[in-house]
Amino acid sequence: MALTAGWGRTVLNALMVATILPYGIAIFLYAKFGWPTNYQGGKLAGLHPHKVFKLNYAAMQWFVVGTIQHLPLYFTVTNAYRTARPESLIKNIPFGRHDCLLDVYVPHLVPGRTLPPKMPVYIFVFGGAWTSGSRTLYCMLANQLADKLQSVVVVPDYPLWPEEQHIHAIQTAIIDSVAWTYNNIEKYSGDKMNIHLMGHSAGAHLSVLAPMALAQGDYSPLDDDTTPSTLLPAIRKVLGFSGVYDITDHYKHEELRGVADVSPMHRVMGGPQNFHLWSPSVLVEVLAEKHLISRLPPMYLFHGTADHIVPYQSTVKLGERLAKVNGKAVVKIFPGVGHSEPVTDVMQPDRPTYDLIMGCIMETANLKDQKSQGDQEPTILTN
């Protein structure tokens, strides 16, 4: 009888832990990132067992894959930034209207080799769900780009949610970094008329949004030299990796993963009623109706099939929409590649997909500049 009672208490305790722990994790995440809004069913909806289970699974996935797996790399990149040589990295340059800083990378000097007087420029926009990230974490990536492409690389910070409450200000900050580059990059042997916008995840979203905003004149310049009509021709190409290009589709994906309630995306974008305003896949059709598509630079869009955070169909859809309106784009889908690899694997040559990803980047650098030739070729989809 005592044995049965003891076993019963053990089962009861196990059930209590199995219930309290998941709900504790869910409540902690809601307290940190925000409870479900009214259009998501309100606070009580977030405590539905189905939602709690999904949220815990996503949190565990993030902790194992996003944190533990990349922890050694984190220490490596932070040390690389701290010990970088000042002749190759110029740090902490203020720019724009949001008290942000940027860094400038130039190729490492090699004995017997002189740098070109006018190098192409890459502006790298990091991801992080519009709420996290730092330019200091991309030192190794920027060094690889600068050395491999013999280019100047600019890595800006930008205002993040919740300090900045709306996507328009974030978009403006990215264009401010383009404006700073246009005005100042010649000091670092960069060609101000050969700027490439390159971004990952949320950064890819912002990199595609920026020229679309400029094409519609949606930018208030800080000086007479950086108007939309001046900056847009200076952006020669856009490179997007693992990008979010349809906010409505991505919100549905977040609901399936169980993270929509705690994700900042719906708040940053101003709620579902405004999702279409910040979705490049939708804006393509708006630009086409206004006869502005030809103003966009060529877009090179890359995505992995093993990306569970942002499905690769996001990239395919944008490419197809551009093709439909005679836009200029190349889409490449990488079998078996996940969400972060297009960035993390470019940081070190011994990483598994370094050759694949860097090879694609270098290929875009060697392609004929369609924009300067005025080509109107349809989108090319390459799988």
Side-chain angles (χ1 to χ4, degrees):
M1 193 72 177
L3 182 62
T4 304
W7 176 250
R9 282 196 297 271
T10 301
V11 172
L12 182 61
N13 290 336
L15 288 173
M16 288 179 64
V17 171
T19 302
I20 293 172
L21 183 60
Y23 272 88
I25 292 173
I27 291 170
F28 169 78
L29 292 173
Y30 287 137
K32 182 174 177 60
F33 297 107
W35 286 83
T37 57
N38 290 334
Y39 57 77
Q40 294 173 315
K43 285 186 177 183
L44 290 179
L47 299 178
H48 189 282
H50 185 64
K51 281 199 171 188
V52 170
F53 172 79
K54 281 189 171 183
L55 187 56
N56 273 260
Y57 180 78
M60 181 181 67
Q61 199 174 39
W62 169 82
F63 182 71
V64 173
V65 178
T67 303
I68 295 178
Q69 181 178 321
H70 292 132
L71 200 58
L73 182 61
Y74 171 79
F75 289 117
T76 302
V77 297
T78 52
N79 182 65
Y81 185 81
R82 181 177 56 84
T83 60
R85 293 184 294 181
E87 62 269 23
S88 298
L89 167 57
I90 302 90
K91 298 180 180 179
N92 303 324
I93 302 172
F95 76 95
R97 68 199 80 192
H98 293 96
D99 297 323
C100 292
L101 301 175
L102 59 78
D103 296 330
V104 175
Y105 295 79
V106 297
H108 291 94
L109 294 175
V110 177
R113 182 194 296 176
T114 57
L115 296 178
K118 277 192 173 184
M119 291 181 283
V121 181
Y122 286 79
I123 300 176
F124 178 75
V125 185
F126 58 80
W130 306 273
T131 190
S132 65
S134 168
R135 73 188 190 284
T136 63
L137 298 177
Y138 298 91
C139 172
M140 293 169 60
L141 178 145
N143 280 329
Q144 288 293 325
L145 293 176
D147 290 340
K148 283 286 187 180
L149 300 172
Q150 287 296 282
S151 62
V152 182
V153 180
V154 177
V155 186
D157 275 332
Y158 53 89
L160 301 170
W161 185 91
E163 285 75 21
E164 182 50 63
Q165 291 289 319
H166 198 266
I167 185 65
H168 190 269
I170 301 175
Q171 171 187 276
T172 298
I174 299 305
I175 302 177
D176 282 350
S177 74
V178 177
W180 181 93
T181 301
Y182 183 85
N183 280 337
N184 296 279
I185 208 64
E186 290 181 340
K187 301 174 188 175
Y188 308 96
S189 299
D191 184 353
K192 71 177 186 179
M193 292 305 297
N194 192 11
I195 296 172
H196 301 66
L197 268 176
M198 176 179 175
H200 173 251
S201 193
H205 169 256
L206 294 168
S207 296
V208 172
L209 269 186
M212 290 184 171
L214 289 171
Q216 298 183 87
D218 183 17
Y219 176 68
S220 299
L222 293 172
D223 58 65
D224 293 338
D225 296 327
T226 55
T227 63
S229 60
T230 302
L231 294 181
L232 189 56
I235 302 174
R236 311 311 299 176
K237 296 182 179 79
V238 175
L239 287 76
F241 292 86
S242 311
V244 179
Y245 304 124
D246 190 302
I247 303 301
T248 299
D249 287 352
H250 192 64
Y251 183 73
K252 293 176 182 177
H253 177 68
E254 288 187 336
E255 287 186 314
L256 289 174
R257 290 181 62 218
V259 300
D261 294 341
V262 296
S263 169
M265 186 187 72
H266 65 95
R267 296 176 173 89
V268 176
M269 305 298 163
Q273 69 274 16
N274 292 313
F275 284 175
H276 64 288
L277 300 176
W278 308 105
S279 297
S281 291
V282 177
L283 292 174
V284 163
E285 297 178 342
V286 174
L287 290 167
E289 291 173 1
K290 296 179 179 179
H291 306 289
L292 298 174
I293 280 293
S294 62
R295 297 187 184 183
L296 295 181
M299 297 191 179
Y300 298 85
L301 309 172
F302 308 93
H303 219 125
T305 60
D307 189 342
H308 68 274
I309 296 176
V310 182
Y312 74 91
Q313 288 85 355
S314 169
T315 287
V316 172
K317 182 175 182 177
L318 177 58
E320 290 175 344
R321 290 283 177 90
L322 282 164
K324 184 179 178 181
V325 297
N326 209 27
K328 299 180 287 289
V330 173
V331 173
K332 290 199 174 184
I333 304 301
F334 305 130
V337 174
H339 184 70
S340 62
E341 285 92 331
V343 167
T344 57
D345 279 13
V346 177
M347 294 182 178
Q348 296 172 305
D350 61 350
R351 302 283 291 186
T353 62
Y354 176 90
D355 291 336
L356 172 65
I357 307 299
M358 182 59 80
C360 287
I361 295 172
M362 295 183 70
E363 182 182 342
T364 67
N366 295 325
L367 287 174
K368 178 182 176 183
D369 190 343
Q370 296 178 24
K371 185 176 180 181
S372 64
Q373 301 299 320
D375 291 347
Q376 291 296 315
E377 296 296 324
T379 303
I380 303 169
L381 296 179
T382 307
N383 293 314

